[in-house]
Amino acid sequence: MSVIQQNTEQGLYSPDFEHDNCGIGAVVNIKGQKSHDTVANALKIVENLEHRAGKDAEGKTGDGVGILLQISHKFFTNVCRPLGIFLGSERDYGVGMFFFPQDELKRNQAKNIFEVIVEKEGLKFLGWREVPIRKEILGKKALECMPCIMQGFIERPKKVKQGLDFDRRLYVVRRVFEQSSDDTYVASLSSRTIVYKGMFLVKQLRMFFEDLQNPDYESAIAVVHSRFSTNTNPSWERAHPNRFIVHNGEINTIRGNADKMRAREENMESEHLEGELYKVLPAINTAGSDSAMLDNTLEFMVMSGMPLPLAVMITIPEPWAQNATMSQKVKDFYQYYATMMEPWDGPASILFSDGDILGAVLDRNGLRPSRYYITDDDTLILSSEVGVLDIPPEKIVVKERIHPGKMLLVDTVQGRVIDDQELKEETEKLRLVVNARAVCESDLLLDIVDDAFDAVAEKYNVKIKVFFSECFGMMDEGRH
């Protein structure tokens, strides 16, 4: 049986009508301090969201549960060394989570194809690790379609920078592989994040993956999701998290969004994917769920040079045209990007992470509420409802919710929380400075504009300066 299940129209059923209403949660240490407590608390959250997780009539197979984590260098170094896999330093390697066919012949064929693609893309494959699992806890339906779950490791070339640059190379590898092997699903392939998920009941996630029980597995970011699908056939690959997001709700405009993305592909260009763009197109897999297609789009935008928070703001904007309470700067920001991307609209609460930041955004109507606490030990706890963790009241310093159309961002590199107003106004300032630089003709004017850019970028986020410079082609040889 193929790991990737294709749902086809039968009788009154159509995959176009699939929707879901789920439970989401996240735990993040604002200062970026990694610990196993972050992982354990996130697992507690999803276990307490059982009422937001679907199950079959027997009550033994779930719609899907999963967790997105930072890659734990401490953990993977320890478990890979006995296998003869030497990883080097943190973020000097990528980890892929693969759902292979159970059939040994097909599995070996897929593994060989992947290794060949890695080599052809100029990277070095380090080895495979079979993920320790407890399949005896699964229900019959989940066990019947359970994939063979393995991890693959890829070395970062010395000439490729850590972080996004390396992840972009891994993105190309994954897209080429996905178009070469139609019976294997890649849950994640990154140097920063990894996804553990499957067709579980909420309490089975922790029990199924032995990695998650290991105290050496440490992370500063943990994002969880429990799936409650309606009119939907569950599968291992449709469980969340996706590669960047978890999503509670639905995208009601999905057909138009996907069609317009496909229509743009003929004219798409990216200096970051120059000569390789054809390898990753089509950007969207239209056989995926609405959440998966949004994740595809965000991933494509990020790999093309756009910061993840900006990509989310563009795809899920707040109502701005007739908003008398919104500043003109933010209105200008939304008006500018409305010429490039139509809204992905519908009731949606979305958490997103690239391994350095954790963000949350709520749709403009606020139909999928999310609440969060900040505690006195610099921990932010966010979920689709309160009460998911027992927290002594005296430890809570902030109690808030995500407001309709607004965004919350935690930057673990800077070690701070960035609120919606600051995020959008500073992003708009950066855009204006970038545009101003584009029309400058003299070095004197360029120096003045560059000084303004440096000041804004330093106040907002040092990383954003690099992202925007790459995205809009700001940097010249010999400058900065």
Side-chain angles (χ1 to χ4, degrees):
M1 179 182 292
S2 175
V3 172
I4 301 176
Q5 300 177 24
Q6 301 291 345
N7 295 332
T8 57
E9 292 190 13
Q10 297 181 17
L12 297 177
Y13 168 79
S14 171
D16 292 339
F17 300 141
E18 292 191 348
H19 302 296
D20 55 315
N21 187 6
C22 313
I24 60 174
V27 180
V28 54
N29 183 281
I30 297 170
K31 301 301 181 183
Q33 296 176 359
K34 298 181 179 181
S35 71
H36 186 68
D37 286 343
T38 299
V39 180
N41 284 331
L43 291 170
K44 286 179 185 176
I45 288 178
V46 80
E47 289 166 358
N48 287 330
L49 290 172
E50 184 173 8
H51 56 288
R52 285 183 174 266
K55 61 182 72 173
D56 68 349
E58 288 185 314
K60 296 180 180 179
T61 299
D63 278 3
V65 182
I67 186 169
L68 180 150
L69 300 166
Q70 291 177 321
I71 290 174
S72 174
H73 180 62
K74 177 181 179 182
F75 170 78
F76 281 110
T77 299
N78 290 339
V79 298
C80 287
R81 191 181 294 114
L83 301 175
I85 301 173
F86 301 98
L87 301 176
S89 302
E90 188 169 10
R91 295 197 173 182
D92 278 346
Y93 55 93
V95 185
M97 182 70 87
F98 294 81
F99 289 179
F100 284 116
Q102 284 289 357
D103 182 271
E104 185 177 3
L105 178 61
K106 292 182 178 180
R107 181 168 68 250
N108 288 337
Q109 287 176 340
K111 289 165 67 176
N112 289 335
I113 290 172
F114 183 77
E115 292 175 26
V116 169
I117 290 171
V118 170
E119 184 178 352
K120 284 188 174 181
E121 292 299 326
L123 302 174
K124 181 181 178 181
F125 184 75
L126 298 175
W128 294 104
R129 172 182 181 248
E130 190 166 348
V131 179
I133 58 172
R134 293 181 57 202
K135 65 180 182 180
E136 66 273 10
I137 71 170
L138 295 178
K140 180 181 177 182
K141 293 177 182 177
L143 189 60
E144 287 176 347
C145 60
M146 186 191 79
C148 177
I149 304 173
M150 300 190 73
Q151 291 166 343
F153 298 85
I154 300 174
E155 184 178 75
R156 178 182 66 86
K158 292 182 180 179
K159 62 181 180 180
V160 177
K161 294 180 182 178
Q162 289 184 345
L164 180 61
D165 285 359
F166 183 32
D167 278 359
R168 189 176 289 119
R169 297 288 297 274
L170 297 176
Y171 172 63
V172 173
V173 167
R174 197 197 82 229
R175 291 297 296 127
V176 173
F177 174 70
E178 287 172 338
Q179 297 176 58
S180 305
S181 177
D182 58 2
D183 56 6
T184 299
Y185 174 74
V186 186
S188 61
L189 179 58
S190 171
S191 64
R192 297 181 287 178
T193 61
I194 190 168
V195 171
Y196 289 83
K197 65 179 182 179
M199 281 177 63
F200 309 130
L201 302 174
V202 291
K203 289 182 171 60
Q204 291 176 339
L205 174 62
R206 184 198 301 262
M207 298 166 61
F208 183 81
F209 289 113
E210 294 182 11
D211 291 2
L212 301 180
Q213 304 170 41
N214 193 314
D216 284 343
Y217 202 107
E218 299 177 342
S219 178
I221 297 173
V223 183
V224 290
H225 184 277
S226 60
R227 193 163 186 252
F228 197 124
S229 52
T230 55
N231 193 30
T232 305
N233 287 322
S235 63
W236 283 77
E237 74 274 7
R238 289 204 174 196
H240 290 219
N242 293 294
R243 298 176 187 103
F244 276 109
I245 69 169
V246 298
H247 175 205
N248 173 25
E250 57 198 54
I251 306 297
N252 291 333
T253 58
I254 188 64
R255 182 174 295 180
N257 295 134
D259 288 346
K260 289 178 180 178
M261 276 297 294
R262 294 293 295 269
R264 294 186 186 103
E265 289 181 358
E266 186 176 346
N267 300 316
M268 282 180 176
E269 293 182 8
S270 170
E271 61 179 288
H272 302 287
L273 295 170
E274 189 172 358
E276 297 186 316
L277 192 60
Y278 71 95
K279 298 178 182 178
V280 303
L281 295 177
I284 287 181
N285 176 10
T286 54
S289 65
D290 55 351
S291 306
M293 285 189 265
L294 174 58
D295 188 76
N296 293 158
T297 301
L298 294 174
E299 182 180 38
F300 178 76
M301 294 166 76
V302 169
M303 296 306 168
S304 297
M306 184 172 287
L308 179 56
L310 176 59
V312 176
M313 289 181 216
I314 293 171
T315 52
I316 310 172
E318 58 183 307
W320 56 270
Q322 306 298 327
N323 191 339
T325 64
M326 181 181 288
S327 72
Q328 190 59 46
K329 289 181 181 178
V330 176
K331 280 188 177 182
D332 293 343
F333 165 82
Y334 280 122
Q335 186 172 17
Y336 177 79
Y337 285 108
T339 64
M340 305 179 189
M341 174 73 74
E342 68 289 336
W344 293 59
D345 225 353
S349 179
I350 290 177
L351 305 183
F352 57 91
S353 179
D354 63 3
D356 289 328
I357 61 169
L358 183 282
V361 66
L362 190 59
D363 70 277
R364 63 180 76 188
N365 296 311
L367 298 176
R368 293 289 187 272
S370 296
R371 299 179 180 275
Y372 66 93
Y373 292 168
I374 299 177
T375 61
D376 58 6
D377 60 353
D378 293 314
T379 299
L380 184 142
I381 300 158
L382 187 150
S383 185
S384 42
E385 56 203 77
V386 295
V388 290
L389 286 180
D390 293 326
I391 306 169
E394 62 271 14
K395 289 182 63 66
I396 299 171
V397 295
V398 174
K399 280 186 180 182
E400 248 295 0
R401 63 186 177 94
I402 310 296
H403 295 265
K406 304 299 183 181
M407 181 178 288
L408 173 74
L409 191 71
V410 179
D411 188 321
T412 63
V413 178
Q414 279 199 356
R416 72 186 186 104
V417 179
I418 305 173
D419 65 28
D420 180 84
Q421 189 72 13
E422 178 187 1
L423 187 64
K424 290 170 181 174
E425 288 194 0
E426 298 300 335
T427 303
E428 171 61 8
K429 287 180 185 177
L430 285 168
R431 183 189 70 80
L432 291 174
V433 176
V434 169
N435 287 351
R437 192 183 192 283
V439 299
C440 288
E441 297 181 355
S442 72
D443 285 342
L444 177 60
L445 286 174
L446 282 174
D447 288 336
I448 294 171
V449 171
D450 285 348
D451 288 343
F453 182 83
D454 289 341
V456 175
E458 182 177 356
K459 177 184 175 185
Y460 173 51
N461 189 332
V462 175
K463 290 197 311 168
I464 291 295
K465 173 182 175 179
V466 178
F467 280 139
F468 267 82
S469 298
E470 293 177 344
C471 183
F472 294 102
M474 279 190 58
M475 289 186 177
D476 296 329
E477 288 294 326
R479 298 191 70 87
H480 289 287

